[in-house]
Amino acid sequence: MQKFTLHSHTHALNCFDGHNSADEMISQAEKLGFEAIGISNHFCYHPNVQLCSPMFYNDENKALDAHLRIIDEVRSAAEGHKIKVYVGAEVDFFPSASWRNAFERMLKKLSFDYLIGSNHFIRTADESQIYNIYHLEIMPANLTADDFKELVQQHWNNVVYTVESGYFDFLAHPDYCVIKIPDVPEFEENRWKIIEALDKTKMPFEVNTSGYNRINMQHPCDWMLQELCEREVPTLLSDDAHSTAMLGQHFERAENLLQKFGCKKRLGLDFLQK
Ligand SMILES: [Zn+2]
Ligand SMILES: [Zn+2]
């Protein structure tokens, strides 16, 4: 059984979406006998993002300042503990040159140990309109069904671009959007494109067990996971813990699934010892 998580969230700066402090998350990981915990709060920056959460930033300096403070907060909390603590970020990637330039400027000043490539938004191709999937109920009322379909298509494309970008140590919840957007047969083609991109790059992906709580499935879905295992794309388990109670949650169920699919390639902690 995997005894670590690299995907967890805290109530950083009193405005991020975890329910516990870094100290509480680290203490619980110790209690569970974990070898390590990685705290990976959301890194959501885009000049055009709809600011429906205080942890989303449309101002580069404010985003940078927040993440500098979060890194400090986690490193300070780690000092009182024996367990190995890493600081990562779950980054919402965007392919435009302007986003990449801003991201690279910020990264130079941020001492993250690792980066998770993630996608929580649907968007227009030109990134002028960006909406959070979790907050879909506050979409503009004038969007047509075709507009919405296009936004969702760009979301799926974005997952492929995230893999191809080369910025990230592993990919978060590849088919996350189905937590809120009904899964339809047309999505299958997009899932295949993600499989192809992961296979080509051999970029690791997570099996995200928080989906069991939301829609009774892990991300990625069964057949996608099986295909990725057969292609020997490296994987790791992520609880995506937003509270101490979620640490290590459903790992046994996911381990059994990986065993059933003959998974041979696991991402261990060694990539962090750089
Ligand atoms: Zn996520
Ligand atoms: Zn997460």
Side-chain angles (χ1 to χ4, degrees):
M1 177 91 80
Q2 183 181 303
K3 288 299 230 177
F4 66 87
T5 183
L6 295 178
H7 188 160
S8 71
H9 298 269
T10 67
H11 192 40
L13 311 181
N14 293 316
C15 73
F16 278 64
D17 67 348
H19 297 290
N20 293 94
S21 66
D23 187 62
E24 288 165 342
M25 294 296 276
I26 297 164
S27 297
Q28 180 63 17
E30 272 180 338
K31 265 187 216 150
L32 292 170
F34 276 19
E35 298 157 50
I37 178 171
I39 309 272
S40 57
N41 280 303
H42 291 283
F43 187 108
C44 295
Y45 159 77
H46 196 288
N48 302 326
V49 71
Q50 195 189 24
L51 296 177
C52 52
S53 161
M55 63 178 187
F56 299 167
Y57 294 90
N58 60 5
D59 179 297
E60 184 180 333
N61 290 323
K62 284 184 185 157
L64 175 63
D65 178 62
H67 284 281
L68 284 167
R69 285 158 55 209
I70 292 173
I71 292 170
D72 276 354
E73 202 173 276
V74 178
R75 300 235 191 263
S76 307
E79 279 171 18
H81 296 272
K82 288 200 192 83
I83 190 176
K84 187 75 196 157
V85 177
Y86 296 103
V87 192
E90 184 184 6
V91 179
D92 269 282
F93 172 78
F94 293 93
S96 62
S98 62
W99 185 89
R100 286 169 188 246
N101 289 339
F103 180 56
E104 287 178 19
R105 275 194 300 273
M106 287 187 268
L107 266 194
K108 280 188 191 135
K109 296 177 182 161
L110 293 163
S111 61
F112 290 124
D113 298 316
Y114 64 97
L115 297 172
I116 309 174
S118 198
N119 291 274
H120 302 93
F121 296 88
I122 57 172
R123 64 170 175 86
T124 51
D126 64 1
E127 301 176 18
S128 63
Q129 295 178 65
I130 299 172
Y131 307 110
N132 187 260
I133 290 169
Y134 198 71
H135 298 108
L136 277 186
E137 63 283 359
I138 54 168
M139 294 273 293
N142 59 353
L143 276 181
T144 65
D146 279 349
D147 290 340
F148 184 72
K149 216 173 158 185
E150 174 60 14
L151 294 171
V152 173
Q153 185 53 49
Q154 293 302 335
H155 163 82
W156 283 109
N157 296 349
N158 213 76
V159 182
V160 173
Y161 303 150
T162 304
V163 174
E164 293 169 345
S165 74
Y167 285 125
F168 304 107
D169 295 293
F170 63 92
L171 178 70
H173 43 56
D175 51 6
Y176 167 85
C177 73
V178 302
I179 66 158
K180 291 277 179 174
I181 300 166
D183 205 351
V184 288
E186 294 92 85
F187 284 178
E188 198 166 307
E189 197 182 323
N190 293 302
R191 284 186 163 106
W192 278 114
K193 285 181 187 159
I194 298 168
I195 293 169
E196 293 296 340
L198 287 167
D199 188 14
K200 202 167 143 201
T201 57
K202 288 291 184 277
M203 174 185 171
F205 68 100
E206 70 176 15
V207 180
N208 188 304
T209 62
S210 76
Y212 290 129
N213 295 338
R214 287 168 165 155
I215 51 171
N216 197 30
M217 67 167 251
Q218 75 292 329
H219 303 281
C221 68
D222 279 5
W223 72 261
M224 195 176 174
L225 181 57
Q226 182 165 12
E227 186 68 32
L228 288 163
C229 287
E230 282 167 12
R231 294 180 186 219
E232 301 193 9
V233 180
T235 190
L236 78 166
L237 303 185
S238 287
D239 46 36
D240 200 353
H242 283 69
S243 66
T244 52
M246 286 176 74
L247 281 166
Q249 199 179 31
H250 307 303
F251 273 14
E252 204 175 325
R253 183 170 170 182
E255 285 286 1
N256 289 338
L257 204 56
L258 284 179
Q259 202 179 356
K260 181 176 145 195
F261 295 151
C263 169
K264 289 192 207 73
K265 285 266 188 307
R266 296 290 289 265
L267 182 70
L269 293 169
D270 41 316
F271 82 94
L272 289 159
Q273 269 106 55
K274 51 192 177 190

